[in-house]
Amino acid sequence: MPYYTKLGKLPSKRHIQFRRPDGKLYAEEVFGTEGFVGPTSTLYHINPPTQVIGWKQLYSTKVEYVERDTMRMRHVKSAPLPPKGDAVTGRVVLFGNNDVEISVCVPAEPMKYHFKNAMADECFFIHFGSGTVFTMFGALKFGPRDYIVIPKGTIYQFVFDEPKDGEPEPRFLLMESVNGSHILPPPRYLSKKTAQFLEHAPYCERDLRTPEMPMTFDKKGKYEVRIKSRDLVHSYEYSYHPLDVVGWDGCYYPYCFNIDDFSPIVGKHHLPPPIHQTFEAHNFVICSFCPRPLDFHPQAIVVPYNHSNLDSDEVLYYVQGNYKARRGIEVGSLSLHPQGIPHGPHPGTPEATIGATHTNELAVMCDTFAPLYPTTAALELDDLNYPRSWEHGWEPEGAESNGHANGHANGKSSKSAKTAKSGSKKSSRVVETKAASNSAKTGKATAGRSTSARGGKAANTWD
Ligand SMILES: [Fe+2]
């Protein structure tokens, strides 16, 4: 994070005596990046953070990509993914490359250990579910539609609340910066002199929720910290609770940001995706498509022009909206539009949306500057018909792949995809219905509802 903050007890100066109630010294740890010239925090532990009593390798996290030589638009329906594992082991990588891994997780069980990703910053988008992520910097309470940015090296444990009747099961999207870079706000929104958010930024410091108490767990016993490094998860054993920090200060810490606190930038004419940008790391960006008024020129075409994003692959994760606006798309869908093919609105959409005043859409986009590849898990959820969905007269319901231009490069039949597809319709309806029910029950006014409350015609502008 760019700005300085602190929590808990601190000595008056760095690197001086700071004593526990029993007279012994607290253990100071400088938690630094980029060889100690990047963002850094200084933490004070009850126990020396160097003390471990055991370690071993657990499992590989190396992602196997498939169809690396196939370039086509893809549509992966993640709604049918069954719950599995916990908030770490349940992650299913769907797309990725040497810069970023994009996964979806529907955790089935609680984390019984703490975790440290020593390879990547992690940017979660909580689609459904609420709870607390306990970190070495303090606790972050989270809920639906929160981004949670956890920087590399942070020890944490997710604890999800039990869903109430009618609420969807917890589900999140995760983007990991596997190239080792840090996920940060776009530099153009920050003061070069103070790192303060500038006036034209779509969010600012007040929108970011930093760690709070409880932070310090002064307990002895056997505690496991699983550390992801070198494409492996290692198990490290501690004789004390790993969240034993009594105070810290600096510019490196996890935080939450709710997507409904993103203030969309709107224009007289259609504005390109960079206006939606929320975060960036080396070779990829993360954007928030939020409910907002649409372009206000009297003759505006409010949906995107056809476009070739020649240096990027675009992945959209669909959170909420009118899914008739993009054929075949459902809650939890991910579309991939690679850099080699132009894409844009479906036939008839520009005419049909003339006069629309606002959009209720909500989506998270990850654009990369290198090609993205699918995993086997993605192929099993792949809607093979999607590349044809721009054809005049194409309908998603009951459509079957004719094999041309759609076949997997490895020659596999589309049986698994069809099976997943038939299952996905049922599952995604459940997700959508429960989401609507949940929203109505909580009475939490989403930005979409408050936008549509002004009246007028709505349209989705999926990029
Ligand atoms: Fe696009």
Side-chain angles (χ1 to χ4, degrees):
M1 267 309 301
Y3 70 90
Y4 173 88
T5 192
K6 59 186 174 181
L7 185 67
K9 298 187 295 184
L10 294 169
S12 60
K13 298 281 288 180
R14 297 171 178 168
H15 325 316
I16 63 170
Q17 295 176 34
F18 181 37
R19 295 192 178 276
R20 311 185 320 198
D22 64 4
K24 293 181 179 172
L25 289 170
Y26 284 114
E28 186 182 53
E29 179 187 11
V30 175
F31 208 64
T33 63
E34 300 170 23
F36 300 103
V37 297
T40 297
S41 286
T42 303
L43 303 93
Y44 295 89
H45 297 266
I46 295 172
N47 307 285
T50 48
Q51 286 185 353
V52 294
I53 55 176
W55 57 89
K56 61 183 177 186
Q57 287 184 10
L58 280 189
Y59 59 90
S60 169
T61 57
K62 184 80 179 168
V63 179
E64 299 288 340
Y65 295 110
V66 295
E67 296 197 355
R68 295 174 68 99
D69 54 355
T70 301
M71 195 273 293
R72 67 168 167 86
M73 289 192 275
R74 296 180 185 271
H75 171 206
V76 169
K77 299 180 179 184
S78 76
L81 279 176
K84 75 162 198 174
D86 56 39
V88 174
T89 59
R91 300 171 184 181
V92 179
V93 179
L94 297 172
F95 296 110
N97 57 24
N98 290 333
D99 298 314
V100 62
E101 290 174 7
I102 302 171
S103 56
V104 171
C105 181
V106 186
E109 57 195 46
M111 287 175 67
K112 295 174 181 156
Y113 53 89
H114 289 77
F115 181 70
K116 174 199 287 195
N117 191 335
M119 293 181 66
D121 279 15
E122 298 177 330
C123 180
F124 299 83
F125 177 76
I126 304 295
H127 193 162
F128 300 126
S130 60
T132 306
V133 55
F134 294 94
T135 82
M136 58 200 280
F137 295 94
L140 290 163
K141 285 193 174 299
F142 64 85
R145 303 145 82 100
D146 271 341
Y147 287 109
I148 308 173
V149 178
I150 299 186
K152 187 194 304 182
T154 303
I155 299 174
Y156 67 85
Q157 184 182 60
F158 268 88
V159 177
F160 281 92
D161 299 333
E162 192 65 31
K164 298 187 178 100
D165 285 347
E167 286 185 349
E169 57 208 352
R171 159 184 286 263
F172 61 77
L173 173 74
L174 172 63
M175 290 147 283
E176 289 181 54
S177 61
V178 293
N179 59 16
S181 64
H182 293 289
I183 299 173
L184 294 165
R188 68 180 181 279
Y189 291 139
L190 301 175
S191 162
K192 290 188 176 121
K193 292 192 174 175
T194 65
Q196 184 178 18
F197 281 91
L198 297 168
E199 282 296 309
H200 67 286
Y203 61 100
C204 71
E205 290 84 351
R206 295 184 197 178
D207 299 313
L208 306 181
R209 286 145 41 214
T210 56
E212 297 178 341
M213 297 296 187
M215 172 172 61
T216 316
F217 298 84
D218 187 7
K219 295 180 181 175
K220 298 292 185 188
K222 279 192 176 180
Y223 293 91
E224 182 187 20
V225 178
R226 294 188 181 179
I227 303 174
K228 181 178 174 183
S229 180
R230 305 168 188 228
D231 291 320
L232 286 165
V233 169
H234 308 255
S235 173
Y236 271 70
E237 195 174 333
Y238 288 59
S239 61
Y240 56 88
H241 197 295
L243 307 186
D244 70 340
V245 172
V246 297
W248 63 270
D249 71 340
C251 298
Y252 191 78
Y253 49 85
Y255 61 95
C256 290
F257 169 56
N258 193 277
I259 199 169
D260 290 335
D261 291 325
F262 186 89
S263 300
I265 297 167
V266 298
K268 189 172 184 178
H269 299 276
H270 194 80
L271 296 171
I275 61 156
H276 305 288
Q277 192 185 344
T278 312
F279 304 111
E280 73 177 47
H282 179 62
N283 272 353
F284 70 95
V285 300
I286 298 169
C287 301
S288 306
F289 286 76
C290 296
R292 63 193 182 279
L294 290 172
D295 322 322
F296 50 87
H297 185 281
Q299 292 183 299
I301 299 291
V302 298
V303 290
Y305 26 78
N306 300 304
H307 54 285
S308 290
N309 196 353
L310 294 168
D311 293 321
S312 297
D313 277 17
E314 301 179 7
V315 167
L316 261 179
Y317 178 81
Y318 299 80
V319 180
Q320 166 194 293
N322 173 12
Y323 294 94
K324 291 176 183 169
R326 178 156 274 174
R327 296 171 176 177
I329 295 294
E330 303 172 348
V331 171
S333 285
L334 294 97
S335 60
L336 167 62
H337 297 153
Q339 59 200 77
I341 318 172
H343 60 276
H346 280 101
T349 305
E351 295 86 350
T353 54
I354 286 173
T357 57
H358 61 275
T359 178
N360 297 325
E361 71 186 6
L362 190 66
V364 173
M365 185 166 79
C366 183
D367 278 10
T368 63
F369 299 135
L372 282 166
Y373 306 112
T375 60
T376 302
L379 294 193
E380 290 174 355
L381 303 163
D382 199 2
D383 172 5
L384 296 177
N385 289 301
Y386 182 66
R388 291 187 55 198
S389 64
W390 279 265
E391 280 183 23
H392 280 283
W394 183 88
E395 292 295 335
E397 290 294 330
E400 297 291 335
S401 167
N402 64 6
H404 84 267
N406 294 319
H408 287 304
N410 60 11
K412 283 183 182 172
S413 78
S414 59
K415 185 178 175 185
S416 62
K418 287 175 185 172
T419 305
K421 184 184 174 187
S422 63
S424 74
K425 286 176 185 167
K426 185 178 176 185
S427 302
S428 62
R429 271 199 294 273
V430 172
V431 169
E432 191 164 23
T433 304
K434 284 184 175 176
S437 165
N438 182 41
S439 177
K441 274 186 181 178
T442 59
K444 185 177 179 182
T446 66
R449 289 165 70 203
S450 60
T451 304
S452 60
R454 289 204 308 268
K457 181 178 170 183
N460 282 84
T461 70
W462 311 123
D463 185 66

